[in-house]
Amino acid sequence: MSSRFLELERARLLAVVAVVAAATGACQRETRDFLPPKPGAVVAGAASAAASQAEIANAAAMVGRYEHNAYGTSAGKRLWTWYNCSGCHGAGGGGGSGPALIDDVWIYGGDAGTVYQTIAYGRPNGMPAFGSRIPKDQIWQLAAYVRSMAGLASADAAPNRDDAFLTRTPESFLDPQKPETVKPSAAGGRPQ
Amino acid sequence: MNGIHDALAPAGPQALALFHLWNAMLVVCTVVFALTMAALAIALWRAPRATERASADLDAQPRKEAALRRSVVWGIAGSSVLLLVLLFASFYADRALSALPLADAVHIDLVGHRFWWEAHYEPHDPEQTFATANELHVPVGRPVLIRLRADDVIHSFWVPSLSGKKDLIPGRESTIAVRADRVGTYRGQCAEFCGYQHAQMALVVVAETPERYERWRSLQREPAHAPSDAQQARGRELVEQTSCAMCHAIVGTRAGGRRAPDLTHVAGRGWLGAGAVANTPKLRAEWIANAQKFKPGVDMPPIDVAADDLAAISAYLGSLE
Amino acid sequence: MESVGALPSRPRPRKRARTRSAAAAHRPMVRDGDGPGSRAAEELERTWQEKPGLVGWLSINNHKTLGLRFVVTAFFFAGLAGVMGGLMRHQLATANSHLLGPDFYNQLFSMHGTTMMFLFAVPVMQGFALYIVPLMIGTRNTAFPRMSACAYWLYLFGGLLLFGAFATNTGPDAGWFEYVPLAGPQYGIGKRADFWNMLVTYSEAMGLMVAVDITTTILKLRAPGMSLRQMPLFVWASLVTSVMIIFAMPLVMLGANLVQFDRMLGTHFFNPAEGGDALLWQHLFWFFGHPEVYFIFIPALGFVSAIIPTFARRPMFGHDAIVLSLVTTGFLSFGLWVHHMFATNLPELGKSFFTAMSFMIAIPTALQIFCWIATIAGGRLVMRTPFLFVLGFFFVLMIGGLTGIMLGSVPLDLQVHDTYFVVAHLHYVLIGGAVFPLFAALYYWFPKVTGKQLGETLGKWHFWLFFIGVNLTFFPLHILGLEGMPRRIYTYGAETGWEPLSMVSAVGQVINDVSTLIFAINLIRTVFFKKERASADPWGAGTLEWSVASPPPRCNFFALPVVSSREPLWAPPAEVTHVQGLSAQIREGLTTTVIDALPDTRYAYPEPEIWPFVAALSVTIWLVWSVWSVPGFVWGLIPPALAFLLWYWPNKKEAKEELRWEREP
């Protein structure tokens, strides 16, 4: 085969790959998954704190379905307001009696599975356990949103500004942060 | 959702004025259409036939041209007069719409959400006010003044048998006044595209005799009935302690969520989910278990509980008359 | 043949050629003016040839090629949108249908509306104008052909991008007018609304470019003697439409870009909490949106005015009245936009003004209809397919126009706004008022464009099936709207009672599909299998485009015509009939004065170039980049700037040649 033919074929292949990548990227971002994943599927999660390790391990699978998905992050943003997370964490996630969520400081870890655990099973020093009150699918949506508040979710799929008083930079405008985990202080939930 | 929903079956003075206007316009427009088509038909019939090769008639015959000119002038004059008549009819109907006497009105605050209707009766009076959703009861013969607000995107309130529609626009407040003059159930639907389930955002206006209305109103102002058996008690416990209370409110219990329809007297409503399913025991349980099956895209998530817990919740909600 | 503007040539001293340009300067100069087959004609054909190869194909700026490209591409998009319409009818034929989910259905109706309005209806009318107007006014090309070429590429790229987005689940899903807040930053999640805003930018740029080209062409390039009073009605319609486009299109681009700013930059134009207003979008959109339907309707009226005299074998009755009606309709259409907003809480008195205006615009349209009927009454009728479609137009448009009067009344609109009554009305006026005349125009001008006439029998089948299908599909929707069926619903319950009429409508849609199939068969048979060639004037018509061969030579006219009446082929000028003495070696034409069409200057048409294509491509890169990145909006402007710069860069060789022709008498 001539080298020119190979070059043409490679160019064609790259074009196809680019289109497919754009398409899958778009598909991931634009899917509206109204139903949670079926039980038994990777992300179904378990009922006890011990088995939650499996959830953390499977968290990588969450990224495509929630963090790279516009519907998932925007649902998370809606639930943030509905479930009054701002009551402790501040109107735009800037902190109050609970720690700030928009900075790059994470007490227990900033990956999706750890954030899920935090919301579902609570943490010492005041974070309630919402696992019995919020369905798993919604907890994943909240986790995806919380990560987008720190610029850790995909910028394409992160939510935009609300049609309300502007209290924070819209999540889709944030630069991605480099998360670091710090120890909780002895006195309260604040890092040292 | 079942109910009369026909602009041509008016049940109140607003819809009646519009019905009369419709009839007037229909008659005039049909006459104009018929006359114009008749003129065309006569022209087609009487004009001789030719082929493409026939030479064109460049010398206009003055008598024929004069006759045509007369017809056209009469046509335009007649059309203009009729248009003026319709214009006045329209203005007259418009004024009739705003002429509804508002004395002794029932006041309702209607907030449009994706995809349900939140209603607060007599919002200015803390002793009389109560909340309900998707089903409005009104007394026959008394005006109802509805203040319309939107919580998220643009919706539109429309009950065709009672009146025309009014948009609910975020950031703007509008009002609409209706009156039902006949007992009956009148169906309405959101009439401005608002997202995934715009198709299933119905509401119903139940017009009752004043006595029945008063009875309904007193009942609505009561807190929720206490559970009468163990299953209902278990149901209430689950409602308060699991996901239901995160969004729904039941007055008199610890459920105080403000994000979803008020369930204090949900058993008295004919439909759930703004017309998505009928409020029967079986469908109620299925709706609670997986609302997305009936109304994909609605904000209520599937509730994953054991079968007997689901039955308990459904039984408790079914007791909230 | 007497010639206009020809002066005796001066004797030239002989000089030996020292350089190549000097040699060229002493080339014999061939002038036009002789008929087909002459040396001048051969030279003209050579001059108007396209450049070879792919680059040549991308550089074409001949108005006939561009017009054809617009029309073919528009019908391609219309076919796709028609399939979407069929899917929707199928979904709604039964209650509680689970054929399509709500999200896909929302994308379907948004794409159907957006495609039909932005990618079919306006471009197809502009395409016809691009093809027909220069031929009808007796010139060789439009005034700014490179601009129209760029407009075509923008149109193609915009449409392909929109459908590419749709194919990746990113099609717009908030209706063809994407109201905020539903299409705003909070509720318009993902990139769907961004692509719609981008498509609107494309559409606006494209429409504006063609409109400016057509306006200038009509005002300055008419044949000598074709004063405004002698100008054909189709040319008037194109002029009115183009001027309207220039005024209305920028509004929608502005509005769409404001929404983009809200989405991409965090501005608050439509955020009520920070001082914006959701209703602002509606005003901006509908100020464009209402004239837009007239961009579609007025050219169609032009088609009807071109076809009726030919098939009634007589000049149009009330020509001047029709001209005034067209201009009045154009003006009045800018004063109607609030009738799309009657259900909002705008002040009642203000809304009533728009009722009055909406009623008023019926009068010029009625005048045109009566003049047409008078022409038919006073003529001798040739019952062929184009004329049949015109008759169908009368019936369907009148129903649509009258329901439009009903919708124009504020109180009645409060019942039928946003219901299937409006869907019925808009399809009656668009299909009746635009598609029927479009088919008529297709059958009428097909022999001119391709050299073959479409089959009469299949044409009649096409007409009758389409007529029955349209009425069966859309008439029941009036009743459904009054029975409470809102627009944009993906399903409904059986208890609503909407199923029987919805099923009738779906059956009508199937009949429409059959009629389209018959039309396609007619097209394919004629284009690929018919041997018989059409003459220059198969219909015996009177306007200038029928004086050239079918299909026309590349230069349109070997000698530009001179006219003295409205139907030049029926009443040719007595003395001076053609222009003689323009160059046959450069692409040259004659400009005339605006009102009386007296000869003015010589005009050198731009040569074909690749820059319009490159400019359109670079604009595409800029717009797509800016959907994803704000810096991309800024840096992405550099390629288009470069492309336009290189486009406008003066060409010394061309200028020298043109000057040579200017100086030599």
Side-chain angles (χ1 to χ4, degrees):
Chain A
M1 289 196 252
S2 74
S3 61
R4 186 162 165 273
F5 173 74
L6 282 173
E7 270 180 41
L8 273 175
E9 280 307 295
R10 195 174 52 177
R12 221 166 280 159
L13 182 64
L14 277 173
V16 166
V17 164
V19 167
V20 166
T24 12
C27 282
Q28 230 178 27
R29 183 185 66 238
E30 298 291 346
T31 318
R32 269 76 167 150
D33 283 317
F34 297 137
L35 289 169
K38 295 217 180 339
V42 142
V43 306
S48 74
S52 68
Q53 289 304 313
E55 289 163 356
I56 298 183
N58 291 326
M62 307 318 307
V63 167
R65 194 192 149 85
Y66 293 102
E67 277 181 28
H68 288 176
N69 180 259
Y71 181 73
T73 53
S74 77
K77 186 167 187 175
R78 170 173 59 80
L79 295 170
W80 166 274
T81 314
W82 280 24
Y83 296 156
N84 199 29
C85 311
S86 52
C88 291
H89 289 286
S97 54
L101 299 178
I102 55 177
D103 55 13
D104 51 2
V105 171
W106 297 85
I107 302 175
Y108 305 101
D111 59 287
T114 310
V115 177
Y116 175 98
Q117 251 197 334
T118 304
I119 301 174
Y121 302 111
R123 295 289 181 190
N125 297 314
M127 173 69 184
F130 286 99
S132 63
R133 288 184 173 277
I134 302 181
K136 294 179 181 50
D137 193 41
Q138 291 191 336
I139 299 183
W140 284 114
Q141 288 171 344
L142 278 164
Y145 175 62
V146 164
R147 278 173 51 82
S148 81
M149 289 170 104
L152 295 173
S154 141
D156 264 1
N160 215 323
R161 71 148 174 80
D162 268 357
D163 284 328
F165 283 121
L166 196 66
T167 53
R168 49 156 304 133
T169 311
E171 293 80 1
S172 53
F173 294 8
L174 295 172
D175 294 321
Q177 302 181 4
K178 299 180 194 36
E180 56 171 290
T181 308
V182 299
K183 290 211 173 3
S185 73
R190 302 295 175 79
Q192 288 160 340
Chain B
M1 225 166 189
N2 237 331
I4 304 171
H5 57 165
D6 193 347
L8 303 180
Q14 319 281 56
L16 190 63
L18 298 178
F19 177 63
H20 290 321
L21 180 63
W22 161 255
N23 286 334
M25 289 200 128
L26 184 65
V27 164
V28 171
C29 291
T30 309
V31 163
V32 169
F33 179 68
L35 286 175
T36 314
M37 288 298 113
L40 180 63
I42 293 172
L44 286 171
W45 190 0
R46 286 170 54 169
R49 298 295 188 257
T51 67
E52 303 91 321
R53 277 164 285 282
S55 62
D57 300 326
L58 290 173
D59 304 313
Q61 294 159 18
R63 279 246 301 270
K64 205 153 98 162
E65 295 299 293
L68 291 174
R69 199 171 310 133
R70 262 200 309 275
S71 313
V72 171
V73 168
W74 274 110
I76 285 295
S79 311
S80 307
V81 166
L82 285 173
L83 271 176
L84 217 55
V85 164
L86 289 180
L87 191 64
F88 281 113
S90 168
F91 289 156
Y92 184 74
D94 210 4
R95 290 177 71 99
L97 287 184
S98 20
L100 188 70
L102 295 177
D104 193 27
V106 175
H107 290 90
I108 302 180
D109 226 14
L110 198 63
V111 182
H113 298 271
R114 297 171 94 199
F115 303 96
W116 59 284
W117 303 90
E118 177 185 353
H120 295 270
Y121 276 66
E122 311 298 338
H124 47 272
D125 190 346
E127 289 188 4
Q128 302 291 325
T129 188
F130 60 88
T132 183
N134 301 328
E135 189 171 302
L136 306 177
H137 288 236
V138 299
V140 161
R142 264 177 74 190
V144 181
L145 193 57
I146 309 178
R147 187 172 77 145
L148 302 166
R149 285 182 298 131
D151 186 45
D152 35 33
V153 298
I154 303 179
H155 300 276
S156 193
F157 171 79
W158 184 42
V159 183
S161 291
L162 291 183
S163 84
K165 59 182 63 71
K166 201 65 177 264
D167 281 357
L168 287 71
I169 303 174
R172 284 171 168 257
E173 220 175 77
S174 46
T175 53
I176 188 171
V178 298
R179 195 178 79 203
D181 283 346
R182 267 210 305 280
V183 166
T185 306
Y186 306 108
R187 184 182 181 280
Q189 198 166 333
C190 174
E192 184 61 60
F193 180 63
C194 49
Y196 311 117
Q197 285 299 334
H198 166 66
Q200 297 196 79
M201 187 171 158
L203 80 158
V204 118
V205 176
V206 180
E208 305 176 308
T209 59
E211 303 77 47
R212 286 190 67 140
Y213 170 71
E214 279 308 314
R215 247 181 292 142
W216 176 85
R217 200 172 70 85
S218 329
L219 180 64
Q220 293 293 313
R221 289 167 51 222
E222 301 284 318
H225 290 163
S228 56
D229 61 33
Q231 191 192 37
Q232 289 179 13
R234 170 94 183 115
R236 182 171 78 172
E237 191 187 325
L238 286 164
V239 163
E240 287 172 341
Q241 292 175 8
T242 61
S243 17
C244 312
M246 295 294 284
C247 298
H248 288 282
I250 301 178
V251 175
T253 69
R254 284 201 290 258
R258 305 284 211 91
R259 302 297 178 173
D262 188 291
L263 298 179
T264 314
H265 299 282
V266 63
R269 293 183 214 149
W271 294 75
L272 295 174
V277 294
N279 195 0
T280 64
K282 177 168 173 296
L283 283 174
R284 189 185 318 126
E286 283 184 39
W287 169 262
I288 296 169
N290 189 0
Q292 300 291 331
K293 188 173 84 171
F294 300 97
K295 203 169 166 181
V298 76
D299 287 332
M300 174 154 164
I303 306 296
D304 190 17
V305 286
D308 46 345
D309 283 345
L310 179 64
I313 296 176
S314 181
Y316 173 62
L317 292 176
S319 75
L320 297 179
E321 290 284 338
Chain C
M1 249 186 332
E2 289 281 328
S3 60
V4 170
L7 295 172
S9 49
R10 289 196 311 267
R12 304 179 62 77
R14 283 184 176 257
K15 265 209 182 124
R16 274 165 49 93
R18 261 188 280 264
T19 62
R20 204 160 63 132
S21 54
H26 291 284
R27 261 200 343 259
M29 299 169 87
V30 182
R31 299 170 198 282
D32 77 349
D34 305 319
S38 63
R39 161 96 196 282
E42 275 171 36
E43 194 69 34
L44 270 172
E45 281 293 80
R46 216 186 334 247
T47 308
W48 283 84
Q49 225 172 31
E50 302 300 342
K51 292 201 199 143
L54 179 65
V55 172
W57 188 80
L58 295 172
S59 309
I60 293 179
N61 65 9
N62 188 305
H63 74 99
K64 296 187 288 299
T65 314
L66 292 178
L68 204 54
R69 283 178 178 173
F70 267 102
V71 172
V72 168
T73 311
F75 270 96
F76 168 68
F77 283 128
L80 292 175
V83 167
M84 294 177 195
L87 273 174
M88 291 194 286
R89 266 296 111 208
H90 196 93
Q91 161 81 0
L92 290 175
T94 51
N96 293 316
S97 170
H98 292 296
L99 183 71
L100 307 169
D103 190 41
F104 185 60
Y105 188 88
N106 295 345
Q107 285 188 70
L108 268 186
F109 72 69
S110 308
M111 285 293 294
H112 173 81
T114 305
T115 304
M116 284 296 194
M117 294 300 278
F118 289 110
L119 296 178
F120 166 63
V122 175
V124 83
M125 297 302 177
Q126 292 194 306
F128 264 93
L130 273 176
Y131 195 108
I132 301 292
V133 163
L135 285 166
M136 221 185 230
I137 62 177
T139 189
R140 291 192 166 130
N141 205 352
T142 54
F144 305 130
R146 291 177 298 183
M147 205 152 72
S148 289
C150 184
Y152 173 72
W153 295 116
L154 283 174
Y155 165 50
L156 182 67
F157 295 150
L160 290 177
L161 272 170
L162 184 73
F163 274 86
F166 179 56
T168 54
N169 202 16
T170 322
D173 64 348
W176 84 276
F177 41 76
E178 300 266 314
Y179 274 178
V180 293
L182 192 58
Q186 184 175 3
Y187 298 100
I189 60 181
K191 299 256 169 240
R192 292 173 172 180
D194 298 314
F195 277 96
W196 187 87
N197 288 324
M198 194 176 66
L199 183 273
V200 165
T201 303
Y202 271 106
S203 257
E204 189 273 339
M206 178 272 284
L208 199 57
M209 286 173 149
V210 177
V212 169
D213 189 13
I214 301 235
T215 309
T216 317
T217 306
I218 294 176
L219 291 179
K220 287 301 292 180
L221 288 176
R222 299 196 308 278
M226 189 185 280
S227 65
L228 286 181
R229 286 206 70 186
Q230 309 285 35
M231 204 163 80
L233 289 167
F234 176 64
V235 183
W236 269 111
S238 302
L239 180 64
V240 168
T241 309
S242 300
V243 174
M244 283 170 63
I245 289 180
I246 294 170
F247 279 101
M249 278 269 185
L251 254 301
V252 76
M253 179 154 104
L254 174 71
N257 278 292
L258 291 182
V259 177
Q260 267 311 89
F261 290 162
D262 268 22
R263 293 172 62 89
M264 297 293 292
L265 300 176
T267 54
H268 298 282
F269 290 106
F270 307 107
N271 180 1
E274 293 278 2
D277 193 346
L279 225 49
L280 174 65
W281 165 252
Q282 294 192 26
H283 280 295
L284 285 174
F285 184 83
W286 288 116
F287 186 82
F288 149 83
H290 191 80
E292 207 229 359
V293 307
Y294 285 90
F295 303 160
I296 300 166
F297 183 50
I298 292 183
L301 300 179
F303 291 153
V304 173
S305 293
I307 292 173
I308 288 186
T310 306
F311 290 86
R313 311 308 297 152
R314 59 156 288 164
M316 182 68 79
F317 176 92
H319 185 283
D320 292 334
I322 295 185
V323 170
L324 290 172
S325 300
L326 285 170
V327 174
T328 310
T329 308
F331 267 108
L332 287 179
S333 69
F334 279 90
L336 305 188
W337 82 91
V338 174
H339 71 210
H340 300 271
M341 300 160 66
F342 279 159
T344 62
N345 70 338
L346 292 172
E348 294 300 320
L349 186 60
K351 289 188 213 167
S352 304
F353 168 79
F354 288 92
T355 294
M357 292 288 280
S358 304
F359 280 25
M360 194 150 62
I361 205 170
I363 297 177
T365 310
L367 182 56
Q368 292 186 64
I369 293 181
F370 296 151
C371 287
W372 289 325
I373 297 181
T375 311
I376 293 174
R380 289 178 294 142
L381 306 181
V382 181
M383 302 297 279
R384 299 273 183 265
T385 308
F387 191 57
L388 281 183
F389 273 100
V390 166
L391 296 179
F393 149 83
F394 279 119
F395 186 92
V396 182
L397 173 75
M398 260 221 100
I399 296 180
L402 291 168
T403 54
I405 297 287
M406 295 174 178
L407 284 163
S409 149
V410 173
L412 193 52
D413 187 60
L414 293 180
Q415 278 287 28
V416 291
H417 169 69
D418 241 323
T419 66
Y420 265 83
F421 191 91
V422 179
V423 176
H425 159 74
L426 74 92
H427 284 92
Y428 263 84
V429 281
L430 285 173
I431 297 185
V435 178
F436 271 88
L438 188 67
F439 279 132
L442 256 167
Y443 280 88
Y444 183 55
W445 276 303
F446 200 82
K448 177 55 57 188
V449 174
T450 60
K452 299 185 198 174
Q453 220 165 336
L454 283 169
E456 250 320 288
T457 317
L458 280 180
K460 290 194 160 81
W461 272 95
H462 173 205
F463 166 71
W464 282 110
L465 282 175
F466 191 55
F467 182 75
I468 294 170
V470 163
N471 281 295
L472 204 59
T473 309
F474 296 107
F475 197 83
L477 303 185
H478 292 111
I479 304 169
L480 281 175
L482 287 164
E483 282 185 358
M485 186 172 186
R487 284 174 83 169
R488 308 197 173 101
I489 57 175
Y490 77 104
T491 189
Y492 52 89
E495 72 279 1
T496 55
W498 297 328
E499 197 171 17
L501 285 175
S502 299
M503 180 58 84
V504 169
S505 174
V507 168
Q509 170 61 24
V510 173
I511 298 179
N512 277 337
D513 290 339
V514 173
S515 87
T516 310
L517 189 64
I518 291 183
F519 175 61
I521 293 174
N522 200 354
L523 264 179
I524 294 171
R525 265 179 60 171
T526 308
V527 170
F528 293 112
F529 296 108
K530 192 161 183 168
K531 297 281 187 290
E532 202 185 316
R533 311 289 309 191
S535 65
D537 190 5
W539 305 113
T543 40
L544 278 178
E545 76 271 24
W546 302 104
S547 70
V548 297
S550 303
R554 280 188 285 258
C555 65
N556 288 357
F557 300 93
F558 294 116
L560 295 187
V562 171
V563 306
S564 63
S565 79
R566 285 173 180 163
E567 289 84 20
L569 294 192
W570 289 347
E575 293 189 3
V576 180
T577 58
H578 285 86
V579 175
Q580 208 175 31
L582 290 172
S583 168
Q585 289 166 314
I586 64 171
R587 297 185 173 203
E588 203 175 34
L590 189 68
T591 69
T592 53
T593 57
V594 171
I595 299 186
D596 289 315
L598 300 168
D600 195 5
T601 69
R602 303 164 82 129
Y603 178 61
Y605 293 107
E607 297 282 324
E609 283 174 4
I610 193 72
W611 297 116
F613 173 77
V614 172
L617 200 56
S618 59
V619 166
T620 302
I621 295 172
W622 168 53
L623 285 175
V624 174
W625 194 0
S626 61
V627 165
W628 263 273
S629 128
V630 173
F633 184 81
V634 175
W635 297 117
L637 271 172
I638 294 180
L642 275 173
F644 281 103
L645 191 67
L646 289 164
W647 172 348
Y648 297 146
W649 203 267
N651 184 326
K652 279 209 172 112
K653 194 167 129 225
E654 265 180 42
K656 195 161 179 165
E657 183 67 15
E658 286 156 21
L659 275 175
R660 184 169 86 100
W661 278 94
E662 266 189 50
R663 291 188 182 128
E664 292 293 331

